[in-house]
Amino acid sequence: MAEPLISRKEQIRNAARNMFKERGYAASSMRDLAKEVGIEPASLYNHIASKQDILKEVCFEMAQEFFDNIELIRVLPISAAARLKKAIDSHVQVISANVDASSVFFNEWRHLEEPALSEFKRMRQRYEHEFREILKEGINMGEFRMIDIKLSTFTILSSLNATYDLLQNPQSSNIDSEEIAEKISLILLKGISKNQ
Amino acid sequence: MAEPLISRKEQIRNAARNMFKERGYAASSMRDLAKEVGIEPASLYNHIASKQDILKEVCFEMAQEFFDNIELIRVLPISAAARLKKAIDSHVQVISANVDASSVFFNEWRHLEEPALSEFKRMRQRYEHEFREILKEGINMGEFRMIDIKLSTFTILSSLNATYDLLQNPQSSNIDSEEIAEKISLILLKGISKNQ
DNA sequence: CCTACCGATCGGTAGG
DNA sequence: CCTACCGATCGGTAGG
């Protein structure tokens, strides 16, 4: 008689991540979630507090993963360009390791209720701040051109955040996260144009 | 006695665009929509066929706007780099002129039901194809570096698509669509790095 | 454009 | 973990 490899709570959370990703938070019902796990709807509440609570856990776990990595990178004694490269690699790698959760993190966070919603926005702001700091230092050190810091950060993060879509729909070529990070870095750092 | 400037149907669609943007499609109720317009819920159905029908109209109107512009640009007798620049400008301008609808277009399209959903994806694929063609030609003409076309298109469109967020939350500096397009073009074409 | 209403479904609780 | 069930809300229709 094999013991279950993961707890029922983890089963529920995994199924919820996938369902929130596929249908969105609002369109996901606790009844369908229960069916997916193989128990009655009421039984879910022996393992989780509420639908909203699952969303909160998924969103903040992802936020924490992004944060842990960027805070290791920020203190590395290397050039700003090297740090930016590492931050990009790390960001794509975190997404790659959590495809379902990433999709929820990027698309369903606005269904968070207060005060979680404000806390979430605050964390995201701090994360963006870390990227801006790297760009600022790179400009000061003469490694980067005199770009608009806010809009550059926006461009970088927009491109990176969208990769969850590439990683969950590996069309034709099965491209991996290192290759994606490498190629996006190249485009963002060196640009598309040939002449200068 | 002033005549209404826009039809009731248009009032409903405007309110729906805004509500779908703010709360998402699934979390928007026809009762709240009716309240916003100032009529009884049942009265909505004298002007619109269904909730799904409004979503379809919003999504496909936007798709058409994007398309109309790109198909004018594709035949211009100018360099690939100049055409890419124009395509970027146009894309941001369409978003800027339809901030609510853009948000719905980018975030709520997956709530489209078949066959509209497949038709929508097909149109998006064709749009991306136009961008890929510009990049391909630019590489062949020696204007662009030997970049990965699929991933470059992905990077460009990810950055551009996210601008609806900048345009609807004009934080501190009230940046306009021309400036956004200009700066994103610069980053994508010339890159962030200084050396080479 | 409204009143009145339909059947279906929602998140969650009581009690065992 | 289940049976039984709560009140609330959903998109939409009938009929005028």
Side-chain angles (χ1 to χ4, degrees), chain A residues 56-120:
Chain A
K56 253 164 34 185
E57 288 186 16
V58 174
C59 287
F60 284 94
E61 272 174 10
M62 281 298 295
Q64 198 54 55
E65 275 219 56
F66 282 125
F67 249 108
D68 290 348
N69 281 2
I70 197 78
E71 294 195 330
L72 289 177
I73 292 167
R74 74 183 294 196
V75 296
L76 292 178
I78 52 179
S79 71
R83 243 176 309 138
L84 178 58
K85 179 65 169 59
K86 270 196 185 298
I88 290 174
D89 287 349
S90 148
H91 193 94
V92 176
Q93 196 273 324
V94 170
I95 292 173
S96 175
N98 306 274
V99 209
D100 284 3
S102 300
S103 182
V104 176
F105 179 87
F106 291 124
N107 296 316
E108 306 300 328
W109 60 268
R110 61 199 172 123
H111 291 108
L112 287 170
E113 294 164 6
E114 294 294 0
L117 180 60
S118 292
E119 169 67 7
F120 182 87

Side-chain angles (χ1 to χ4, degrees), chain B residues 131-147:
Chain B
F131 272 79
R132 283 199 296 272
E133 286 301 310
I134 295 177
L135 290 187
K136 203 179 293 179
E137 190 179 327
I139 293 173
N140 290 341
M141 300 298 284
E143 298 175 54
F144 299 149
R145 294 171 39 240
M146 288 268 293
I147 43 169

Side-chain angles (χ1 to χ4, degrees), chain B residues 153-172:
Chain B
T153 304
F154 173 83
T155 302
I156 295 170
L157 285 176
S158 301
S159 310
L160 298 185
N161 289 348
T163 55
Y164 77 86
D165 192 52
L166 284 180
L167 288 160
Q168 80 185 335
N169 302 321
Q171 37 192 121
S172 57

Side-chain angles (χ1 to χ4, degrees), chain A residues 21 108 110-111 143 145 148 150-152 154 158-159 162 166 172 183 188-189 191-194, chain B residues 21 23 108 110-111 143 145 148 150-152 154 158-159 162 172 183 187-189 191-194:
Chain A
K21 180 193 79 176
E108 306 300 328
R110 61 199 172 123
H111 291 108
E143 298 175 52
R145 293 170 42 240
D148 180 313
K150 194 176 279 183
L151 216 63
S152 302
F154 173 84
S158 301
S159 309
L166 283 180
S172 57
K183 286 181 171 172
L188 292 172
L189 285 167
I192 290 172
S193 284
K194 195 164 200 176
Chain B
K21 180 193 78 177
R23 315 183 193 174
E108 307 301 328
R110 61 199 171 124
H111 291 108
E143 298 175 54
R145 294 171 39 240
D148 180 311
K150 195 176 281 185
L151 216 61
S152 302
F154 173 83
S158 301
S159 310
S172 57
K183 287 180 170 172
I187 296 166
L188 292 172
L189 285 168
I192 289 172
S193 284
K194 195 163 198 175

Side-chain angles (χ1 to χ4, degrees), chain A residues 157-175:
Chain A
L157 286 176
S158 301
S159 309
L160 298 184
N161 289 348
T163 55
Y164 77 86
D165 192 53
L166 283 180
L167 287 159
Q168 80 183 337
N169 302 320
Q171 39 193 130
S172 57
S173 56
N174 52 350
I175 190 169

